Amino acid sequence: MEPIAIVGIDCRFPGAPDTRAYWDLLMRSGDGVGEVPRLRWNAEEFHSASGAPGRTNTTKGGFISDPDAFDNEFFTVSPREAQAMDPQQRLLLQSSWRAVEDAGLAPQSLAGTSTGVFVGIMGNEWAQLHLTDYDHVTAQIGSGNGYCMTANRISYHLDLKGPSLAVDTACSSSLVAVHLAANALLSEECDIALAGGVNVAMTPALSIFYTQAGLSSPDGRCKPFSSQADGIGRGEGVGVVVLRRLKDALADGQRVYAVLRGTAVNQDGRSNGITAPNRWAQQEVLAAAYRRAGVEPSDVTFVEGHGTGTALGDMMEVKALGHHHGSRTGKPLALGSVKGNLGHTEGAAGIAGLIKVALSLHHRVVPASRFSAKENPSLKLREHGIRLLKAPLKLPAQDVVAGLSSFGMGGTNAHAVLASAPPAARRPADDTGGLGTAVFTLTAPGADALRRNLIAQADSVERGRLPVGALAWTSNRVKSGHRYRFAVGAADTAQLAERLREAAADDAVLTRLAGQPAARPETAFLYTGQGSQYPRMTAGLYRESALYRGFLDEADAALVPHTGRSVRDLVLAGDEAVHRTQWTQPALFAVEFALGRTLEALGVRPSALLGHSVGEYAAAVLAGALPLDGAARLIATRGALMQELPDGGGMLAVRAPHAEVAARVADEPLVGVAAVNGPQATVLSGDLAALARIEEELTGEGVRTRRLQVSHAFHSPLMEPMLERFAAVADEVGGDVPRIPVYSTVHGRLLEDEPMDATYWVAHISAPVLFADAARTLLDEGVTHAVEIGPRPVLLGMLRTLGAGPAQVVPVPDEDAGSDRLADAVAELYRGGVDPDWDAVYAPRDRVGQPLAPYAFSDRHRYWAAHTPSRTPSAGPVAVAAQSAADTRGADAPAPAAEPMHPAVAVLDVSRGRADGPVARAAVEAVGLVGGYGPDELSPELRLYEDLGFDSVMVMELKSRLEERLTGLGELTVQDLLPRLSTIGDLVSFLHELDAVAPGSEERTA
């Protein structure tokens, strides 16, 4: 068959809360078996060493920790629904999310795709506890149970449109699920498949069954193929893998743990008994898998056996393997089973074995099999060409083939053939392109979730010692999609870990580095004018950022034919000639062109542009109104012609309104208004003698003035001698209507389908710079972010004088700025809602996926049955209990407080208002009852669907609850209610419109 890649893994097994811990457990031959937790049942109450009827012969097993913990808020599941959900559904939800992240994919990116979900499951004990309590069966209890819901719940919450099904073939369920997932990929029913298994023991029923059937190990441990083997020990766990066709995974550059080469499933048919293993059927399923994989038995290096540790089961399995491997020459087949570490995880047994094999192939070593030191002599392993894995088996560098068996108690057998992943593509050595500094991002649904995951990522970064660029690139792709955005620049992993920890520990830092964009951002680029230049401007950025370097080189190449020498070299050399107009203007143009194009290449695409004086030239190129070579010719000509003008002109900044200053110089033929930068910021330009006289008059009147250090009287009548020669060049260059809105400082307004042509650029020389008018018009359009494009910030200060404005972003804040400050700007824009083109941020060598810490879910909320199974029937209903993580407290301890929200992180917190009035209180009470929320958890701004997890069934119940509590609703229908359920506040407003009344209250709502 076409090979299938395992590209993502997540699991949780006894003694191993995640994939990394699982591998560690295997490599140290760890034991995950312990006493039955009191949360499940009272083991002593059901124990009988002799295996008396209705009893089990063991008090031990392999149990996962905290199966009652569920981050329902993350998945927008109401507490009432979470209380009713089978814990197996909850575990699968969280494991699926983490497996998709491990595959290098943002889980939200799968929404709407044909991704399939295939779940193997055997136990349904939650239903046994709850669906037989008929008086307390609710809609939530119904959807919270059932095999189908384990898969369907994943598809629902991730919005996956592909096949979604659960499989129960007993112990082989999850490997059969993998088989079905692989076939769905091969038939192109889906392009990505999630396959997994889950098992949580909530009652002693199966333990009693195993005991009564003579299959239960007294110490609760499986001892596969060992002389110590004495039966099955129960185990728990959850595991999910993400599968893709190998060719697709390789094309997308995904990490491949291992490859499925072939899978097969068959049935025992009629044998010695429905629960008895059938050697010949097992032989056939092995042969079928080998055929499908295109391998010979001798190609297989090791097999992860079913290995339950029962006398008959181990014997049949060895004989079936021996049929194919008994005649092997060379090294015997290596055999082991993870059940020695975990116990028999039943419906999750296949996925536990698959993950073990995949990790072994990935790490190039097979862990020793627990209890293998004393192999069972009656199995005659050597005669069957088999040896137990008594020590870790180091795998060779070349392709390795492995097998995996999983046999169901009812006779459904499965076998898979896996192989090591093909050699990874060599990491590109190309370091061209890229910002020069990494930008690590993380998103979360809330402030505390963000802190929790910042710490998890910091731990992982410190432990992994991976390239910071590749880590950050992976974070940009995978850790996205939630409301709260965190972003920070980092030069190396040490700095990254430090900044992550600092943000998690310091509320002020977290406030600065995290944001919650409320709407689509509108970004404006503001291009700085003459006077902002200095020697070596942006030299650090040029040195560190290949992306910026390429654009500055491009601008320089366009300028050289018109300037006669390299403007770039002049600037970077620190030549003071940069202050001479003939070099100042092309130098500023080059820097601003490069900076604007760099940001555009990084995915920061402005919705508006504004340039101050010569800043408009670079803006015009970005807007598409001028070609680069044409703009270069114009700005070089402009600077050279101005440099040729005679001395004797100057400029004077006046702290007074435009109208007053303009009136004063109306009769001055050699002086004019050069710029209007703010309400009290006007600049005059012209003849020095006339300016000196005006300055003296203004000073005498108490008006503040300041002489500007300039070479010529720009934007004044003294520019007249150069206009004709400039116009001739401008006519040849021409100009178009900008494709991006340009707020013209020539006209002080938005250009309306007007070309930036020769007429415009000639007028531009002498006309005043109407920055204040243009900027005020821009602000009126609702710009959210203003980015200053220039070698130092000038215009943003002017913008502040016009009143409250947008967030201000400065890519080059000072003369020492390098790629780190540009990275800070990109991070700030991301926090504000901009979605950069992350590939452009990094050089090709860094665009390689790396493992990140999986999402750290909250364990604060706990949901479990209020009554554990007992031999004495309970007098009360078997309800569901919701707890917080602190609910191990004594009976007299106070109830747990709500999870603290640090007040300093105001940007991350939703303000909690109160619903006042009897009708509002009745509505809040109804919402709380339907969703399982306390009144202190509810406030008017909370959204019923997005925040509280309401669905159509809950809306129907809400209608009934409202009708119980309010009168005056008339013939209220669900159709009436649905459009008014945006928030609790909207619902209350709707009830007021209906003139609803809370009985016992005098309040009228009209």
Side-chain angles (χ1 to χ4, degrees):
M1 75 180 210
E2 181 183 348
I4 300 296
I6 299 173
V7 297
I9 295 175
D10 184 73
C11 64
R12 185 174 168 189
F13 291 109
D18 55 33
T19 308
R20 181 171 172 270
Y22 182 48
W23 181 247
D24 177 68
L25 179 83
L26 295 173
M27 286 302 296
R28 59 182 172 82
S29 293
D31 182 11
V33 174
E35 294 290 334
V36 176
R38 292 300 297 262
L39 183 69
R40 317 308 171 82
W41 62 85
N42 183 341
E44 292 298 331
E45 184 179 357
F46 290 91
H47 180 246
S48 166
S50 62
R55 304 295 204 276
T56 174
N57 67 343
T58 184
T59 61
K60 295 184 177 181
F63 296 91
I64 61 173
S65 59
D66 302 325
D68 54 338
F70 179 50
D71 195 346
N72 60 293
E73 293 172 346
F74 179 88
F75 292 102
T76 322
V77 173
S78 70
R80 188 178 179 204
E81 186 174 9
Q83 289 167 5
M85 285 171 61
D86 186 335
Q88 296 178 127
Q89 294 184 28
R90 306 183 214 141
L91 289 168
L92 278 166
L93 263 182
Q94 297 187 162
S95 190
S96 295
W97 186 276
R98 289 159 60 116
V100 173
E101 284 193 337
D102 189 60
L105 301 169
Q108 294 96 330
S109 70
L110 299 183
T113 68
S114 63
T115 300
V117 180
F118 302 82
V119 171
I121 184 169
M122 174 176 159
N124 198 16
E125 295 176 348
W126 192 255
Q128 298 170 25
L129 291 173
H130 297 93
L131 286 178
T132 54
D133 181 17
Y134 304 120
D135 292 337
H136 294 87
V137 173
T138 64
Q140 288 76 24
I141 290 286
S143 62
N145 284 278
Y147 292 146
C148 65
M149 286 297 182
T150 55
N152 299 164
R153 182 78 66 175
I154 297 167
S155 298
Y156 172 76
H157 282 283
L158 271 63
D159 192 22
L160 310 179
K161 308 295 188 180
S164 182
L165 55 95
V167 182
D168 179 10
T169 59
C171 320
S172 59
S173 297
S174 51
L175 191 55
V176 172
V178 170
H179 169 77
L180 295 174
N183 285 341
L185 288 166
L186 296 176
S187 65
E188 298 188 350
E189 282 186 276
C190 52
D191 295 321
I192 299 174
L194 277 61
V198 65
N199 190 60
V200 178
M202 289 168 264
T203 78
L206 272 180
S207 299
I208 295 170
F209 161 67
Y210 290 149
T211 298
Q212 301 308 309
L215 302 173
S216 177
S217 169
D219 68 355
R221 291 176 174 83
C222 296
K223 306 169 187 71
F225 314 111
S226 171
S227 60
Q228 301 170 280
D230 54 0
I232 293 172
R234 293 190 71 186
E236 295 182 330
V238 60
V240 177
V241 295
V242 180
L243 305 177
R244 296 194 70 189
R245 292 179 288 272
L246 178 61
K247 62 184 181 184
D248 296 337
L250 294 177
D252 287 348
Q254 286 181 288
R255 173 186 54 186
V256 177
Y257 284 101
V259 176
L260 278 172
R261 293 270 293 270
T263 62
V265 172
N266 74 359
Q267 233 287 332
D268 285 352
R270 190 169 182 85
S271 59
N272 291 335
I274 193 167
T275 62
N278 185 322
R279 164 192 173 181
W280 292 274
Q282 292 182 17
Q283 288 176 191
E284 284 302 316
V285 81
L286 288 165
Y290 293 155
R291 284 194 304 272
R292 204 168 184 214
V295 302
E296 296 296 326
S298 58
D299 296 329
V300 181
T301 300
F302 70 96
V303 164
E304 170 68 13
H306 188 58
T308 56
T310 60
L312 183 60
D314 285 0
M315 180 68 73
M316 293 298 101
E317 183 168 7
V318 167
K319 287 183 178 296
L321 285 167
H323 174 79
H324 295 287
H325 298 276
S327 60
R328 288 172 69 114
T329 57
K331 292 184 179 180
L333 176 74
L335 176 65
S337 173
V338 73
K339 291 180 180 64
N341 306 90
L342 311 176
H344 190 348
T345 54
E346 298 164 354
I351 202 70
L354 182 79
I355 293 173
K356 175 186 173 183
V357 174
L359 293 176
S360 297
L361 292 168
H362 178 67
H363 292 292
R364 294 281 172 181
V365 61
V366 188
S369 188
R370 190 169 163 80
F371 298 109
S372 62
K374 298 180 179 180
E375 66 182 59
N376 185 348
S378 64
L379 297 178
K380 301 179 180 178
L381 293 172
R382 187 181 299 274
E383 294 178 19
H384 290 94
I386 299 170
R387 69 181 179 95
L388 289 186
L389 280 162
K390 298 179 180 180
L393 173 64
K394 187 174 182 180
L395 299 176
Q398 62 264 31
D399 190 36
V400 176
V401 178
L404 166 65
S405 292
S406 196
F407 306 135
M409 184 171 55
T412 298
N413 308 304
H415 190 79
V417 176
L418 292 88
S420 47
R426 185 182 298 274
R427 186 181 175 195
D430 185 4
D431 63 352
T432 59
L435 176 55
T437 296
V439 180
F440 189 92
T441 57
L442 190 64
T443 65
D448 287 287
L450 193 54
R451 290 189 191 90
R452 189 171 59 247
N453 279 276
L454 286 169
I455 293 170
Q457 294 304 321
D459 290 343
S460 178
V461 167
E462 289 176 337
R463 187 170 56 239
R465 301 184 182 276
L466 295 168
V468 69
L471 281 175
W473 181 77
T474 306
S475 77
N476 306 151
R477 291 164 55 88
V478 174
K479 299 292 185 177
S480 61
H482 297 295
R483 285 182 294 171
Y484 297 104
R485 294 180 168 204
F486 171 90
V488 67
D492 52 45
T493 52
Q495 185 183 49
L496 174 59
E498 179 183 357
R499 289 185 171 180
L500 293 174
R501 291 199 187 283
E502 183 184 15
D506 189 322
D507 291 342
V509 174
L510 188 59
T511 300
R512 178 168 53 84
L513 297 181
Q516 184 186 6
R520 181 178 177 274
E522 297 291 338
T523 303
F525 284 4
L526 277 59
Y527 288 79
T528 315
Q530 192 164 341
S532 59
Q533 76 280 353
Y534 52 88
R536 293 187 53 77
M537 54 184 173
T538 72
L541 187 57
Y542 184 86
R543 179 180 63 252
E544 297 168 8
S545 172
L547 188 62
Y548 177 78
R549 188 159 58 244
F551 287 125
L552 188 62
D553 290 348
E554 183 183 0
D556 187 59
L559 285 164
V560 164
H562 313 293
T563 57
R565 64 172 290 195
S566 169
V567 170
R568 175 201 60 204
D569 293 351
L570 179 145
V571 169
L572 298 180
D575 195 328
E576 291 292 334
V578 74
H579 292 300
R580 291 174 56 84
T581 297
Q582 73 178 95
W583 297 114
T584 300
Q585 295 188 9
L588 283 173
F589 168 78
V591 164
E592 293 178 3
F593 165 83
L595 193 55
R597 285 297 307 276
T598 297
L599 285 168
E600 184 186 46
L602 292 171
V604 184
R605 295 178 176 85
S607 53
L609 305 172
L610 185 153
H612 192 288
S613 187
V614 294
E616 281 201 322
Y617 282 84
V621 176
L622 196 71
L626 286 175
L628 173 59
D629 57 348
R633 183 182 177 192
L634 279 179
I635 196 69
T637 302
R638 188 182 195 271
L641 290 176
M642 287 186 178
Q643 187 68 50
E644 293 175 5
L645 292 173
D647 296 336
M651 302 181 77
L652 179 70
V654 181
R655 191 169 181 77
H658 173 214
E660 293 181 12
V661 177
R664 182 178 293 273
V665 299
D667 297 327
E668 294 282 351
L670 299 180
V671 175
V673 173
V676 183
N677 293 326
Q680 297 284 328
T682 307
V683 178
L684 296 177
S685 181
D687 177 72
L688 284 174
L691 283 177
R693 175 170 40 80
I694 295 169
E695 180 181 16
E696 184 178 358
E697 294 172 0
L698 289 171
T699 302
E701 297 170 9
V703 178
R704 292 173 55 188
T705 62
R706 179 171 59 88
R707 283 292 182 102
L708 303 182
Q709 298 299 313
V710 295
S711 60
H712 294 83
F714 305 114
H715 297 281
S716 79
L718 300 187
M719 295 289 107
E720 178 69 24
M722 65 166 283
L723 295 183
E724 184 176 349
R725 292 167 64 192
F726 180 80
V729 175
D731 283 335
E732 293 179 10
V733 172
D736 295 319
V737 175
R739 294 193 293 270
I740 300 173
V742 170
Y743 288 78
S744 165
T745 52
V746 173
H747 302 304
R749 58 172 173 77
L750 174 67
L751 293 179
E752 302 280 0
D753 294 325
E754 301 163 79
M756 300 180 82
D757 56 10
T759 301
Y760 184 89
W761 295 115
V762 171
H764 184 274
I765 291 174
S766 298
V769 180
L770 302 178
F771 172 81
D773 292 341
R776 196 174 287 112
T777 306
L778 172 65
L779 294 178
D780 289 343
E781 294 300 315
V783 169
T784 61
H785 294 78
V787 184
E788 181 147 3
I789 308 296
R792 61 158 62 102
V794 175
L795 303 183
L796 293 179
M798 298 179 187
L799 206 63
R800 285 192 289 271
T801 67
L802 302 177
Q808 299 187 354
V809 181
V810 187
V812 186
D814 52 50
E815 296 186 12
D816 297 324
S819 64
D820 57 334
R821 304 310 294 269
L822 183 53
D824 290 343
V826 172
E828 184 173 355
L829 289 165
Y830 173 75
R831 294 191 291 267
V834 173
D835 290 314
D837 178 353
W838 292 116
D839 280 0
V841 176
Y842 306 94
R845 67 180 180 186
D846 287 328
R847 298 200 288 267
V848 179
Q850 296 291 348
L852 297 174
Y855 186 86
F857 290 102
S858 169
D859 62 0
R860 182 168 69 96
H861 297 300
R862 305 294 178 118
Y863 304 99
W864 202 254
H867 301 285
T868 57
S870 173
R871 296 194 58 78
T872 303
S874 171
V878 185
V880 183
Q883 299 176 308
S884 79
D887 279 355
T888 54
R889 63 191 187 281
D892 297 330
E899 186 174 14
M901 299 293 284
H902 295 243
V905 194
V907 68
L908 297 175
D909 291 341
V910 177
S911 60
R912 298 277 179 170
R914 286 284 173 261
D916 295 324
V919 169
R921 287 193 291 273
V924 168
E925 183 182 61
V927 169
L929 283 171
V930 173
Y933 296 98
D936 290 342
E937 296 179 274
L938 299 175
S939 55
E941 71 279 1
L942 289 178
R943 302 167 295 178
L944 273 78
Y945 297 107
E946 295 89 341
D947 297 326
L948 302 180
F950 268 55
D951 57 23
S952 57
V953 173
M954 296 170 75
V955 170
M956 292 176 65
E957 184 180 349
L958 177 62
K959 172 181 173 293
S960 299
R961 299 287 190 183
L962 290 170
E963 290 172 337
E964 292 171 1
R965 287 163 174 74
L966 298 170
T967 61
L969 296 179
E971 296 296 324
L972 181 63
T973 67
V974 171
Q975 287 70 27
D976 295 330
L977 204 52
L978 285 173
R980 303 304 302 271
L981 292 178
S982 176
T983 65
I984 293 177
D986 291 336
L987 171 62
V988 172
S989 298
F990 176 58
L991 296 174
H992 281 289
E993 292 171 15
L994 294 178
D995 201 17
V997 176
S1001 167
E1002 297 301 317
E1003 179 192 49
R1004 298 293 297 179
T1005 60

